Amino acid sequence: MEVVRLLVSHHANVNHTTITNSTPLRAACFDGRLDIVCYLVAHNADISITNKYNNTCLMIAAYKGHTDVVKFLLEQGADPNAKAHCGATALHFAAEAGHLEIVQELVRCQAAMVVNGHGMTPLKVAAESCKADVVELLLAHADCDPHSRIEALELLGASFANDRENYDIQRTYHYLHTAMTERYRDPDNVIAKELLPPIEAYGGRCECRTPQDLEAIRVDRDALHMEGLMIRERILGSDNIDVSHPIIYRGAVYADNMEFEQCIKLWLHALRLRQKGNRNTHKDLLRFAQVFSQMVHLKEQVLASAVEQVLSCSVVEIQRSMARVDTAAESELPQALDNYESNVFTFLYLACISTKTTCSDEERARINKHIYNLIQLDPRSREGASLLHLAISSSTPVDDFHTNDVCSFPSAQVTKLLLDCGAQVNAVDHDGNTPLHVIVQYNRPISDFLTLHAIIINLVEAGAHTDMTNKQKKTPLDKSTTGVSEILLKTQMKMSLKCLAARAVRQHQITYRNQIPKTLEEFVEFH
Ligand SMILES: *[C@@H]1O[C@H](CO)[C@@H](O)[C@H](O)[C@H]1NC(C)=O
Ligand SMILES: *[C@@H]1O[C@H](CO)[C@@H](O)[C@H](O)[C@H]1NC(C)=O
């Protein structure tokens, strides 16, 4: 306060805005400093300046729960119905955060019940986030019709069934029962539910339609959990951003109880919803790599069809993350690249898991098809490493939540799999290194001899050129860091007259451009 006073007395601009169009007043509202807010307003600060998302000072104070600041701003004539870029009003923010007194204050100042950009009213927002007292208050709002009353009660009950912080199954039943009673209040005019078709992931159950249906599952927790998920998907819509979190939470509870099949069904459902909504799914995919790894480690059977579905989604996600990198603004590029790379790593974990999964020939073919599809996209790390480089590099990071119990690199199985699915054996990274250049630098040639041996053989059999040079003009043999890899390489090297000739041309700097066929020029160049 002292500093603010000093600065303002020396003519600091009270309306100064930052790059994101934030003002000093906004900062004071965020922190709930009523004294500074009053001082700035007394010195003509403009209370209507919004940040770059058209988010007002009133909204931030409402969200942060600063009741005194909210009251003051309203007295100063702040517009309670201003809308942010996302369509939300101050009432949405207060309702979501569960600040009852602020909700009351806004309603008293004629804040309207409008939908935001996700089709949510403040009432629905409060119900979705388990803010029961706010819901009960807003049910009395003038804009609330019987249909939205029932929906809000159902959504509130449903949300209590699958929320980590607010789990309360008694309240689930209580609110679902209240809603059902309202549906049947007038026996001649029952307000029937408009049900979605049954969803396999939710046990293929149908939502309760009658008070009797509901009574029958009163003490069946599992049924109430699934009822909650169904209700949320019906009311929020399958493309709503909040639908997937409770599904994932419920899946995680199953996984904790070692009920992996249920977990995977729910997570696959959530993954499909999120992918359909064009959302970033890199965390979802990694979660699958973790649970599959845990299962392999515990010797639980991992279904090939599940791995196949996740691989398929993973290809889509990598394709999208490549596009996001191409179109990212400069400030977003590092994050976009991080996501892209971590998607590629996750794909390798899944590929590794697929080598440890029992598959029929048909299932194997389907899995390989996805791997083939990804290889065609040719994703690369920041250093230009291809999938094959990453599969044989000990510096490829491995996630440490269960995944590293099962996956490690270099991996002979993944190398073989990628080669079988068409990976380019002589692909080069930004330093001109081929996969063979990478593997000969493996630092565990004795303790992990079998891996080193298998990979070198696989690469050479797939046509790896043993005398290809990188940008420093070094062949794999030059780059070998151990005697073991040197010997392995030498025994595999197939001398061909063509290669010897190419090296001689390079070594003695004989002119060859336009003297030999074009295809041979390229061949000479990598020697
Ligand atoms: C700040 O904005 C308000 C409202 O537009 C205006 O009245 C006031 O003069 C501005 N103050 C300064 C220092 O620009
Ligand atoms: C943000 O507010 C400005 C000024 O009130 C308005 O012209 C603009 O249309 C708003 N933008 C969005 C996306 O709501």
Side-chain angles (χ1 to χ4, degrees):
M1 183 67 206
E2 285 310 298
V3 177
V4 170
R5 219 192 293 272
L6 189 65
L7 289 171
V8 171
S9 71
H10 284 77
H11 312 294
N13 177 7
V14 290
N15 292 336
H16 181 82
T17 52
T18 64
I19 293 174
T20 59
N21 222 51
S22 175
T23 58
L25 181 64
R26 184 176 178 82
C29 289
F30 180 94
D31 267 342
R33 288 295 300 265
L34 182 61
D35 55 343
I36 297 176
V37 170
C38 290
Y39 182 85
L40 289 172
V41 170
H43 286 79
N44 290 323
D46 186 343
I47 63 168
S48 68
I49 299 176
T50 63
N51 76 358
K52 69 167 177 175
Y53 303 110
N54 275 12
N55 191 300
T56 63
C57 289
L58 183 66
M59 289 173 194
I60 192 64
Y63 185 65
K64 299 289 288 179
H66 304 308
T67 313
D68 49 1
V69 174
V70 168
K71 282 186 181 162
F72 176 77
L73 290 173
L74 287 170
E75 279 160 19
Q76 295 299 311
D79 178 4
N81 288 316
K83 277 189 157 193
H85 197 102
C86 62
T89 61
L91 193 53
H92 282 96
F93 286 103
E96 180 185 352
H99 301 305
L100 186 62
E101 217 182 316
I102 294 177
V103 171
Q104 260 161 341
E105 205 54 44
L106 288 166
V107 171
R108 206 174 55 79
C109 290
Q110 317 299 324
M113 187 88 82
V114 294
V115 294
N116 65 14
H118 304 298
M120 301 278 281
T121 60
L123 175 60
K124 270 186 166 181
V125 166
E128 195 283 321
S129 49
C130 300
K131 302 297 186 300
D133 48 1
V134 174
V135 171
E136 306 233 8
L137 180 84
L138 289 178
L139 286 176
H141 194 284
D143 298 346
C144 190
D145 58 36
H147 185 255
S148 23
R149 276 180 65 82
I150 291 171
E151 267 196 351
L153 288 165
E154 286 177 346
L155 187 57
L156 179 60
S159 300
F160 274 119
N162 295 289
D163 187 288
R164 186 193 309 274
E165 275 104 55
N166 302 292
Y167 178 78
D168 189 338
I169 202 72
Q170 264 88 37
R171 292 176 99 175
T172 295
Y173 185 81
H174 167 75
Y175 286 113
L176 294 189
H177 183 260
T178 313
M180 192 63 89
T181 311
E182 294 227 0
R183 286 189 180 277
Y184 281 80
R185 185 175 304 286
D186 178 359
D188 300 328
N189 219 338
V190 170
I191 307 174
K193 285 187 186 181
E194 285 165 30
L195 296 187
L196 299 178
I199 292 167
E200 229 267 300
Y202 302 152
R205 292 175 43 83
C206 241
E207 246 187 71
C208 297
R209 292 160 196 266
T210 63
Q212 295 74 29
D213 286 352
L214 189 61
E215 178 62 32
I217 62 166
R218 180 174 196 150
V219 293
D220 183 347
R221 276 173 182 259
D222 219 36
L224 284 170
H225 298 156
M226 294 303 123
E227 182 81 4
L229 295 178
M230 285 185 275
I231 291 175
R232 285 179 56 95
E233 192 163 331
R234 165 172 61 84
I235 295 179
L236 295 173
S238 59
D239 50 1
N240 184 290
I241 192 157
D242 292 315
V243 163
S244 59
H245 303 296
I247 306 174
I248 293 163
Y249 167 73
R250 185 50 57 199
V253 175
Y254 279 125
D256 284 347
N257 291 325
M258 312 272 281
E259 294 173 68
F260 293 112
E261 204 186 317
Q262 303 280 22
C263 161
I264 285 165
K265 270 191 199 162
L266 287 175
W267 283 2
L268 278 173
H269 182 59
L271 176 61
R272 279 193 216 99
L273 292 179
R274 291 179 59 81
Q275 195 148 63
K276 197 160 73 106
N278 219 345
R279 285 185 235 297
N280 204 319
T281 56
H282 83 273
K283 289 197 182 118
D284 304 85
L285 295 165
L286 179 59
R287 204 179 290 116
F288 274 103
Q290 293 167 339
V291 76
F292 288 152
S293 297
Q294 188 185 6
M295 291 170 72
V296 170
H297 193 58
L298 293 171
K299 305 210 171 5
E300 293 271 338
Q301 197 203 347
V302 179
L303 287 180
S305 70
V307 177
E308 189 240 311
Q309 290 175 66
V310 180
L311 276 169
S312 154
C313 290
S314 180
V315 176
V316 173
E317 175 65 22
I318 291 174
Q319 191 162 24
R320 286 181 186 171
S321 57
M322 288 168 105
R324 286 186 208 115
V325 166
D326 287 343
T327 58
E330 202 183 333
S331 62
E332 287 157 1
L333 190 58
Q335 186 62 53
L337 275 170
D338 273 353
N339 288 355
Y340 169 37
E341 266 193 351
S342 73
N343 280 323
V344 173
F345 297 145
T346 302
F347 185 88
L348 287 172
Y349 311 152
L350 292 165
C352 182
I353 290 159
S354 82
T355 65
K356 298 165 198 283
T357 310
T358 324
C359 299
S360 66
D361 288 349
E362 207 175 297
E363 287 167 333
R364 176 59 61 200
R366 272 204 295 269
I367 286 177
N368 288 1
K369 183 81 197 307
H370 299 310
I371 295 174
Y372 169 84
N373 287 339
L374 187 66
I375 289 171
Q376 297 309 302
L377 294 173
D378 195 19
R380 297 293 179 123
S381 75
R382 282 185 175 82
E383 288 77 37
S386 68
L387 288 169
L388 193 56
H389 286 91
L390 294 170
I392 62 175
S393 165
S394 52
S395 46
T396 297
V398 183
D399 166 74
D400 61 4
F401 188 67
H402 298 303
T403 314
N404 60 354
D405 289 332
V406 168
C407 303
S408 66
F409 301 103
S411 160
Q413 286 83 5
V414 176
T415 304
K416 174 97 175 47
L417 180 58
L418 292 173
L419 288 170
D420 287 349
C421 295
Q424 291 295 318
V425 71
N426 290 317
V428 293
D429 65 15
H430 292 336
D431 294 325
N433 291 310
T434 64
L436 204 51
H437 282 92
V438 178
I439 191 63
V440 294
Q441 301 180 56
Y442 187 31
N443 60 6
R444 293 178 54 211
I446 311 283
S447 58
D448 197 14
F449 174 78
L450 290 180
T451 300
L452 180 65
H453 183 254
I455 290 179
I456 291 181
I457 303 265
N458 274 324
L459 290 175
V460 173
E461 278 180 356
H465 235 83
T466 49
D467 52 358
M468 220 165 137
T469 55
N470 66 12
K471 287 201 174 150
Q472 311 160 304
K473 301 258 177 293
K474 301 277 197 247
T475 63
L477 194 57
D478 299 331
K479 294 298 285 183
S480 286
T481 49
T482 62
V484 181
S485 52
E486 231 177 278
I487 292 167
L488 279 172
L489 206 51
K490 279 184 177 157
T491 61
Q492 291 307 313
M493 276 168 74
K494 303 213 174 39
M495 285 296 158
S496 83
L497 188 53
K498 192 171 156 190
C499 290
L500 289 173
R503 278 186 80 71
V505 166
R506 295 281 279 178
Q507 238 157 32
H508 301 287
Q509 296 176 3
I510 297 169
T511 336
Y512 60 92
R513 291 235 165 97
N514 300 323
Q515 313 257 346
I516 54 176
K518 275 271 174 266
T519 49
L520 276 183
E521 284 187 7
E522 200 188 324
F523 183 80
V524 169
E525 265 142 42
F526 67 65
H527 278 82

